[in-house]
Amino acid sequence: MSFEEMWAALRPVGRDAETGGYHRFAWTPAEVECRSWFADEARRRDLEIETDPNGNLFAWWFPPGNGRGDAVVTGSHLDSVPGGGAFDGPLGIVSAFAAIDLLRERGVRPSRPIGVAAFAEEEGARFGVACLGSRLLTGAIAPYRARGLRDRDGRTLADVLTGHGLDPERIGPDEGLLSRIGCYVELHVEQGRALDAPVGVASAIVPHGRWRFDLAGEGNHAGTTRLKDRRDPMLPFARLVLAAREAAERNGTLTTVGRVEVAPNGVNAVPSAVTAWLDGRGPADDAVRRTVAEVHEAALRAAREHGVGVELAEESYTEVVDFDVPLRDRLAAVLGGVPVLPTGAGHDAGILASRVPTAMLFVRNPTGVSHAPAEHADAEDCLAGVEALTTVLKELAGG
Ligand code: GLV
Ligand code: MN
Ligand code: MN
């Protein structure tokens, strides 16, 4: 299957026909269909399929006569945000299979194994914690905490994994697997307007995290409850959203309140509870931390005024990631001096980087839009990405 054929096969999976957005949440039928697509592509190429205890998928090319360690791993993820674009995640995996085809066509016999990875729940769209599969693999999240994470229907990760034949008691760091990974290179669509060339190399990922605010008030009748008698959590929530924007402006950071749940969510009821998720990112840890503290302070003040309770929980946080400098420079050089740029988007590569030399390749995104249907990469740039990944794999795996 060529790049174009693989792309066409994945295109309809989990796609909303009206909006063109993708809904591929970890372990839901659409994502499971993507996983079987992955297994089919691996089998088609005689790659050895491995599902690790954390639900991450690997397809291995073990060249005969060489060991199974010191592998060059590439890949990305198959899950999406709600209504996401087609490229965020799958581009890295389709490109990886296509690059293996090119290496073989060109008679390259690697001296190191090459692995294609599909990390589970990268977006955290179902269980709330971004890069869950790679965090578990590297020990960046405690297994007991992960087991208890719940999706929007209240199902725990432990239950969902059990339903897919995985043992929740076995999730967690996998030193054996990690010790076989010599380096990781993730190809990804660029997610802003920062890349003005077909392909670039990542320098860093800025600090980023997610925080949940639970605002608890008192549910009551919209027509009979006097304003002064209300304990309406929607009011401090409104203040929180504005405070997030103001704190971002003050601190030179980015804040987004992109998800909110209101109970009971009735038009004629004063809400009893509001839960809001804050995504915060910025150039430095202290700026992000200060931003969140200021939003918290504003929410507490507004909540006190309205007799509402506030609880704040940090769901995930990733400090600044500086990718391995020798590896990054080697890739930029072998690709002929392509641009080297940081990103504000999170990736499994950012998690793997704490344990193995890691790098990223970016493919130009002419719309500058991501996590939305307009996310795009031109076919020509995608093929340039495959070519670049092929060059990189040959450089690193030898042959
Ligand atoms: C993942 O794409 C993120 O940056 O949230
Ligand atoms: Mn994403
Ligand atoms: Mn991604």
Side-chain angles (χ1 to χ4, degrees), residues 127-398:
F127 291 102
V129 175
C131 301
L132 186 57
S134 55
R135 279 184 205 275
L136 280 164
L137 167 65
T138 56
I141 183 170
Y144 78 87
R145 190 186 151 218
R147 278 192 281 274
L149 292 171
R150 286 180 191 276
D151 68 8
R152 292 176 197 220
D153 299 326
R155 292 193 66 198
T156 62
L157 178 71
D159 273 356
V160 169
L161 291 181
T162 305
H164 286 87
L166 288 160
D167 178 356
E169 291 307 315
R170 287 193 58 220
I171 65 172
D174 188 339
E175 294 302 327
L177 173 54
L178 276 173
S179 70
R180 288 193 276 131
I181 303 178
C183 63
Y184 179 60
V185 180
E186 178 167 350
L187 178 147
H188 204 281
V189 66
E190 208 274 318
Q191 292 175 275
R193 285 181 205 282
L195 178 60
D196 195 14
V199 174
V201 171
S203 56
I205 300 180
V206 306
H208 59 287
R210 296 179 183 187
W211 292 265
R212 192 185 72 240
F213 285 84
D214 287 301
L215 306 168
E218 182 182 57
N220 215 328
H221 194 292
T224 62
T225 319
R226 295 179 305 177
L227 292 182
K228 70 183 186 58
D229 293 336
R230 296 181 182 208
R231 292 171 47 217
D232 182 351
M234 195 64 95
L235 300 169
F237 164 68
R239 185 66 215 126
L240 181 160
V241 175
L242 296 173
R245 171 71 182 225
E246 290 155 8
E249 277 164 6
R250 264 193 310 276
N251 291 293
T253 53
L254 294 173
T255 54
T256 306
V257 180
R259 180 179 170 198
V260 59
E261 281 177 6
V262 179
N265 210 10
V267 70
N268 55 355
V270 176
S272 57
V274 173
T275 300
W277 282 262
L278 174 73
D279 179 304
R281 311 184 189 218
D285 288 308
D286 59 345
V288 177
R289 293 286 181 197
R290 204 165 43 243
T291 301
V292 176
E294 288 176 13
V295 177
H296 189 202
E297 186 50 44
L300 283 171
R301 227 178 304 122
R304 259 195 309 272
E305 207 179 299
H306 293 283
V308 168
V310 182
E311 300 263 342
L312 169 61
E314 180 171 297
E315 293 201 329
S316 62
Y317 188 72
T318 308
E319 289 181 358
V320 65
V321 175
D322 287 308
F323 288 114
D324 188 85
V325 174
L327 182 60
R328 165 195 112 182
D329 289 351
R330 188 172 166 195
L331 300 200
V334 78
L335 296 175
V338 297
V340 177
L341 62 157
T343 180
H347 300 284
D348 295 303
I351 306 298
L352 270 287
S354 66
R355 298 300 305 276
V356 294
T358 296
M360 289 192 76
L361 300 181
F362 289 135
V363 171
R364 174 163 54 192
N365 175 356
T367 63
V369 174
S370 189
H371 285 184
E375 177 183 278
H376 185 70
D378 289 336
E380 219 172 278
D381 288 350
C382 291
L383 295 179
V386 172
E387 204 43 75
L389 185 61
T390 309
T391 303
V392 163
L393 294 178
K394 181 168 187 304
E395 165 76 8
L396 298 175

Side-chain angles (χ1 to χ4, degrees), residues 71-113:
V72 178
V73 177
T74 183
S76 194
H77 60 97
L78 293 165
D79 65 309
S80 77
V81 297
F87 296 81
D88 180 356
L91 181 64
I93 294 174
V94 170
S95 301
F97 286 127
I100 287 182
D101 293 345
L102 278 187
L103 288 172
R104 289 176 170 176
E105 264 170 52
R106 294 172 188 175
V108 175
R109 292 164 178 268
S111 51
R112 296 167 72 179

